[in-house]
Amino acid sequence: MSTVLRICWVSIKETRRSVLRSIGAGTAVAVGGVGAASAKPPSEGETIADVASNDDRFSILVDALAEAELVGALGGNRQLTVVAPTNEAFKQLLDDLGISKEDLLARDDLAQILLYHVIPGRRNAASVTASSKLPTLNGATIDVDGTNLNGDQADIITEATNIEASNGFIHAINGVLLP
């Protein structure tokens, strides 16, 4: 094995170890092994929290993350994938529930709802849509059927996938997932 190839292999093995440590071995097994998450090391640049806050499509999500004190969870080096409801998705939920944005932000279960949209590991859209179930940071799983999530709760917006951040991906969805 050449020296360059050996260095790359060692780097990949170290990255996989750090992914296992950050998401926990149980989660890694639940997602089908660490191979389901990218072996790509975190790059420099904007985190998921930064990218979402700079994208007008996700302003309600960003407000909810701030209210639930979860911005820091999406701002570190831990590799994550967020299926992110757009503002339109949140507005539809507010209409369906007959509540205001303030009422939504005041919910006791807001953090659990938001964590239901966060998948451990760095998964591109092809990896997400090829799965039948995805674990979430709130401990539940999301059922996946192609671009459809949890039956009729949401669809992945195919024109707004693979929004890359230094610590993972954002895939816009047209509904809010409720655990």
PDB file of all heavy atoms in Angstrom, residues 51-64:
ATOM      1  N   VAL A  51     -26.016  28.295   8.239  1.00  0.00           N
ATOM      2  CA  VAL A  51     -26.635  28.222   6.912  1.00  0.00           C
ATOM      3  C   VAL A  51     -28.138  28.484   7.008  1.00  0.00           C
ATOM      4  O   VAL A  51     -28.694  29.258   6.230  1.00  0.00           O
ATOM      5  CB  VAL A  51     -26.349  26.853   6.247  1.00  0.00           C
ATOM      6  CG1 VAL A  51     -27.165  26.668   4.980  1.00  0.00           C
ATOM      7  CG2 VAL A  51     -24.857  26.714   5.944  1.00  0.00           C
ATOM      8  N   ALA A  52     -28.798  27.866   7.984  1.00  0.00           N
ATOM      9  CA  ALA A  52     -30.246  28.063   8.148  1.00  0.00           C
ATOM     10  C   ALA A  52     -30.566  29.516   8.488  1.00  0.00           C
ATOM     11  O   ALA A  52     -31.524  30.086   7.965  1.00  0.00           O
ATOM     12  CB  ALA A  52     -30.794  27.130   9.223  1.00  0.00           C
ATOM     13  N   SER A  53     -29.755  30.126   9.337  1.00  0.00           N
ATOM     14  CA  SER A  53     -30.046  31.508   9.727  1.00  0.00           C
ATOM     15  C   SER A  53     -29.799  32.492   8.588  1.00  0.00           C
ATOM     16  O   SER A  53     -30.348  33.597   8.608  1.00  0.00           O
ATOM     17  CB  SER A  53     -29.245  31.908  10.966  1.00  0.00           C
ATOM     18  OG  SER A  53     -27.867  31.962  10.678  1.00  0.00           O
ATOM     19  N   ASN A  54     -29.021  32.103   7.602  1.00  0.00           N
ATOM     20  CA  ASN A  54     -28.762  32.959   6.445  1.00  0.00           C
ATOM     21  C   ASN A  54     -29.684  32.667   5.268  1.00  0.00           C
ATOM     22  O   ASN A  54     -29.499  33.226   4.192  1.00  0.00           O
ATOM     23  CB  ASN A  54     -27.303  32.817   5.998  1.00  0.00           C
ATOM     24  CG  ASN A  54     -26.337  33.384   7.014  1.00  0.00           C
ATOM     25  OD1 ASN A  54     -26.637  34.373   7.673  1.00  0.00           O
ATOM     26  ND2 ASN A  54     -25.198  32.754   7.159  1.00  0.00           N
ATOM     27  N   ASP A  55     -30.672  31.802   5.463  1.00  0.00           N
ATOM     28  CA  ASP A  55     -31.584  31.403   4.386  1.00  0.00           C
ATOM     29  C   ASP A  55     -33.002  31.814   4.784  1.00  0.00           C
ATOM     30  O   ASP A  55     -33.553  31.292   5.754  1.00  0.00           O
ATOM     31  CB  ASP A  55     -31.500  29.892   4.177  1.00  0.00           C
ATOM     32  CG  ASP A  55     -32.205  29.418   2.922  1.00  0.00           C
ATOM     33  OD1 ASP A  55     -33.278  29.962   2.589  1.00  0.00           O
ATOM     34  OD2 ASP A  55     -31.690  28.472   2.284  1.00  0.00           O
ATOM     35  N   ASP A  56     -33.587  32.733   4.041  1.00  0.00           N
ATOM     36  CA  ASP A  56     -34.919  33.259   4.366  1.00  0.00           C
ATOM     37  C   ASP A  56     -36.000  32.189   4.423  1.00  0.00           C
ATOM     38  O   ASP A  56     -37.029  32.389   5.056  1.00  0.00           O
ATOM     39  CB  ASP A  56     -35.334  34.334   3.355  1.00  0.00           C
ATOM     40  CG  ASP A  56     -34.489  35.587   3.477  1.00  0.00           C
ATOM     41  OD1 ASP A  56     -33.912  35.820   4.562  1.00  0.00           O
ATOM     42  OD2 ASP A  56     -34.401  36.336   2.485  1.00  0.00           O
ATOM     43  N   ARG A  57     -35.798  31.043   3.775  1.00  0.00           N
ATOM     44  CA  ARG A  57     -36.802  29.968   3.777  1.00  0.00           C
ATOM     45  C   ARG A  57     -36.969  29.339   5.148  1.00  0.00           C
ATOM     46  O   ARG A  57     -37.965  28.664   5.407  1.00  0.00           O
ATOM     47  CB  ARG A  57     -36.421  28.864   2.780  1.00  0.00           C
ATOM     48  CG  ARG A  57     -36.404  29.292   1.351  1.00  0.00           C
ATOM     49  CD  ARG A  57     -35.901  28.181   0.468  1.00  0.00           C
ATOM     50  NE  ARG A  57     -34.471  27.977   0.711  1.00  0.00           N
ATOM     51  CZ  ARG A  57     -33.699  27.174  -0.002  1.00  0.00           C
ATOM     52  NH1 ARG A  57     -34.213  26.462  -0.991  1.00  0.00           N
ATOM     53  NH2 ARG A  57     -32.412  27.064   0.267  1.00  0.00           N
ATOM     54  N   PHE A  58     -35.989  29.522   6.043  1.00  0.00           N
ATOM     55  CA  PHE A  58     -35.985  28.830   7.327  1.00  0.00           C
ATOM     56  C   PHE A  58     -36.057  29.763   8.532  1.00  0.00           C
ATOM     57  O   PHE A  58     -35.688  29.387   9.634  1.00  0.00           O
ATOM     58  CB  PHE A  58     -34.731  27.952   7.440  1.00  0.00           C
ATOM     59  CG  PHE A  58     -34.577  26.965   6.315  1.00  0.00           C
ATOM     60  CD1 PHE A  58     -33.470  27.014   5.478  1.00  0.00           C
ATOM     61  CD2 PHE A  58     -35.530  25.987   6.080  1.00  0.00           C
ATOM     62  CE1 PHE A  58     -33.315  26.114   4.433  1.00  0.00           C
ATOM     63  CE2 PHE A  58     -35.388  25.086   5.043  1.00  0.00           C
ATOM     64  CZ  PHE A  58     -34.279  25.150   4.210  1.00  0.00           C
ATOM     65  N   SER A  59     -36.575  30.971   8.381  1.00  0.00           N
ATOM     66  CA  SER A  59     -36.566  31.934   9.492  1.00  0.00           C
ATOM     67  C   SER A  59     -37.428  31.475  10.677  1.00  0.00           C
ATOM     68  O   SER A  59     -37.048  31.694  11.839  1.00  0.00           O
ATOM     69  CB  SER A  59     -36.988  33.323   9.021  1.00  0.00           C
ATOM     70  OG  SER A  59     -38.306  33.308   8.533  1.00  0.00           O
ATOM     71  N   ILE A  60     -38.560  30.839  10.423  1.00  0.00           N
ATOM     72  CA  ILE A  60     -39.386  30.348  11.542  1.00  0.00           C
ATOM     73  C   ILE A  60     -38.673  29.202  12.249  1.00  0.00           C
ATOM     74  O   ILE A  60     -38.665  29.131  13.484  1.00  0.00           O
ATOM     75  CB  ILE A  60     -40.795  29.936  11.063  1.00  0.00           C
ATOM     76  CG1 ILE A  60     -41.540  31.159  10.508  1.00  0.00           C
ATOM     77  CG2 ILE A  60     -41.593  29.287  12.203  1.00  0.00           C
ATOM     78  CD1 ILE A  60     -42.896  30.843   9.880  1.00  0.00           C
ATOM     79  N   LEU A  61     -38.033  28.321  11.495  1.00  0.00           N
ATOM     80  CA  LEU A  61     -37.256  27.240  12.088  1.00  0.00           C
ATOM     81  C   LEU A  61     -36.144  27.811  12.972  1.00  0.00           C
ATOM     82  O   LEU A  61     -35.939  27.353  14.096  1.00  0.00           O
ATOM     83  CB  LEU A  61     -36.665  26.335  11.006  1.00  0.00           C
ATOM     84  CG  LEU A  61     -35.706  25.240  11.480  1.00  0.00           C
ATOM     85  CD1 LEU A  61     -36.409  24.257  12.407  1.00  0.00           C
ATOM     86  CD2 LEU A  61     -35.094  24.520  10.283  1.00  0.00           C
ATOM     87  N   VAL A  62     -35.455  28.815  12.487  1.00  0.00           N
ATOM     88  CA  VAL A  62     -34.371  29.435  13.255  1.00  0.00           C
ATOM     89  C   VAL A  62     -34.920  30.056  14.542  1.00  0.00           C
ATOM     90  O   VAL A  62     -34.328  29.902  15.613  1.00  0.00           O
ATOM     91  CB  VAL A  62     -33.614  30.469  12.387  1.00  0.00           C
ATOM     92  CG1 VAL A  62     -32.645  31.287  13.227  1.00  0.00           C
ATOM     93  CG2 VAL A  62     -32.883  29.764  11.244  1.00  0.00           C
ATOM     94  N   ASP A  63     -36.060  30.726  14.461  1.00  0.00           N
ATOM     95  CA  ASP A  63     -36.693  31.281  15.665  1.00  0.00           C
ATOM     96  C   ASP A  63     -37.035  30.169  16.662  1.00  0.00           C
ATOM     97  O   ASP A  63     -36.822  30.318  17.867  1.00  0.00           O
ATOM     98  CB  ASP A  63     -37.970  32.048  15.307  1.00  0.00           C
ATOM     99  CG  ASP A  63     -37.707  33.349  14.559  1.00  0.00           C
ATOM    100  OD1 ASP A  63     -36.541  33.815  14.532  1.00  0.00           O
ATOM    101  OD2 ASP A  63     -38.672  33.885  13.984  1.00  0.00           O
ATOM    102  N   ALA A  64     -37.566  29.062  16.144  1.00  0.00           N
ATOM    103  CA  ALA A  64     -37.931  27.935  17.013  1.00  0.00           C
ATOM    104  C   ALA A  64     -36.691  27.320  17.655  1.00  0.00           C
ATOM    105  O   ALA A  64     -36.698  26.984  18.848  1.00  0.00           O
ATOM    106  CB  ALA A  64     -38.708  26.884  16.220  1.00  0.00           C
TER     107      ALA A  64
END
